[in-house]
Amino acid sequence: MATFSGKEPLRSGRLRQLGDLSAASQETDEAFAASAADALAALPYVLAVALGGSRASGTARPDSDWDFAVYYRGPGFDPASLAALGWDGQIFPIGGWGGGVFNGGAWLRAGGRQVDVHYRDLDDVDFRIAEAAAGRFAIERLAFHLAGIPSYIVLAELGTHRVLRGELPRPRFPAALRESAAKRWAAEAAHSVDYAAKAHASRGRLTETAGAIGTAACQASHAILAARGEWVTNEKTLVDRAGLRAVDQILAGLRPEPAVLTRAVDAARELFAAGYQAAEGT
């Protein structure tokens, strides 16, 4: 059974029994998506369920995770209720992932399937939509992401995920956000490569220079996709979508020599600038 990583232990009396889903490994993918959506939608205070990631985009491999989001409104939703699904794993409290855009979730296993459940408060969703419409957003640090994540990822999920139960808005990329995000991400990328040139490349620091170029590649990719008005939900295919995969060739030739590293930074700067300029014309 799943364990709750909150401050209070589970109290079985407050759990709504949803049936045994341990046979999930025997279901087809579509049948599993339907049964999982039914179970998640039956949790108290959940108003909608969406499927994201490669499972929603049709690019999943057989071993790809299942990314579900449960949408609720206000303080009534209790993550501990996920234990009633009967799936093994770990359930985190709201705010258990550090707060911010990713305000918590669960890592579960349904039969042979790895399942991630994210919590989405519709009050926060409404706020993010309004902020994005005005061109405002924040960039937050998130594990496994070089450039961090923009707060408008909440809209990106709505714009790309597959709604399985309930109703959710499907926002387009706001014009004001398209302009502000493209400019800010482009500036972030420029700052990263400029600092790399001054602080690291000139001193022959290969690791720091390579890291800065990699980070800048993701930042520049965000800028390019924002300029195109394309949603981004993670960094997995970010560089490819932006057309900046040539950065690999730049990094492949690095040696801990100032002249070599400086040329690499200059080449990266030119690659990112050219990609951004092309995107601005779309």
Side-chain angles (χ1 to χ4, degrees):
M1 292 290 290
T3 58
F4 182 59
S5 298
K7 297 180 180 179
E8 299 180 5
L10 286 173
R11 293 193 291 273
S12 58
R14 65 177 177 177
L15 299 180
R16 180 176 180 177
Q17 297 303 315
L18 301 173
D20 183 12
L21 295 179
S22 60
S25 60
Q26 306 301 318
E27 295 179 302
T28 65
D29 284 346
E30 280 301 314
F32 172 70
S35 62
D38 285 340
L40 291 168
L43 295 174
Y45 297 97
V46 170
L47 301 177
V49 178
L51 176 66
S54 60
R55 295 290 179 181
S57 65
T59 59
R61 301 176 305 185
D63 62 345
S64 293
D65 293 351
W66 289 79
D67 296 312
F68 293 99
V70 291
Y71 289 82
Y72 58 93
R73 189 177 294 280
F77 173 69
D78 183 0
S81 64
L82 286 163
L85 298 175
W87 296 341
D88 292 330
Q90 195 170 13
I91 300 167
F92 295 85
I94 293 173
W97 290 352
V101 173
F102 276 91
N103 66 335
W107 301 330
L108 305 171
R109 192 156 191 86
R113 294 178 170 91
Q114 183 64 42
V115 176
D116 295 339
V117 179
H118 298 158
Y119 314 147
R120 286 279 175 250
D121 186 338
L122 286 167
D123 287 340
D124 181 69
V125 170
D126 291 343
F127 171 75
R128 305 293 179 185
I129 290 175
E131 287 291 283
R136 294 189 294 267
F137 71 99
I139 299 174
E140 300 180 2
R141 177 177 172 79
L142 183 66
F144 322 122
H145 289 67
L146 294 178
I149 58 167
S151 56
Y152 57 79
I153 192 175
V154 173
L155 282 73
E157 293 172 348
L158 293 171
T160 59
H161 286 187
R162 176 181 163 197
V163 180
L164 301 179
R165 298 292 182 272
E167 296 182 359
L168 293 169
R170 197 168 187 84
R172 294 184 178 181
F173 211 113
L177 181 65
R178 186 169 175 171
E179 179 179 358
S180 64
K183 290 181 177 178
R184 179 173 177 185
W185 282 116
E188 296 273 347
H191 292 327
S192 293
V193 292
D194 288 347
Y195 187 80
K198 179 179 179 180
H200 302 309
S202 62
R203 293 173 170 80
R205 297 170 178 164
L206 188 155
T207 298
E208 292 88 338
T209 302
I213 291 175
T215 298
C218 290
Q219 293 166 331
S221 295
H222 271 292
I224 290 169
L225 294 177
R228 294 179 188 166
E230 298 180 19
W231 291 124
V232 174
T233 57
N234 58 55
E235 291 183 352
K236 292 179 181 178
T237 62
L238 180 59
V239 173
D240 292 294
R241 287 177 58 195
L244 297 182
R245 185 49 64 189
V247 71
D248 288 353
Q249 299 172 10
I250 296 173
L251 292 173
L254 294 186
R255 297 193 305 274
E257 302 169 12
V260 172
L261 297 179
T262 298
R263 284 197 299 271
V265 171
D266 290 341
R269 183 186 291 109
E270 292 177 7
L271 174 66
F272 304 155
Y276 180 60
Q277 290 171 6
E280 281 190 305
T282 59

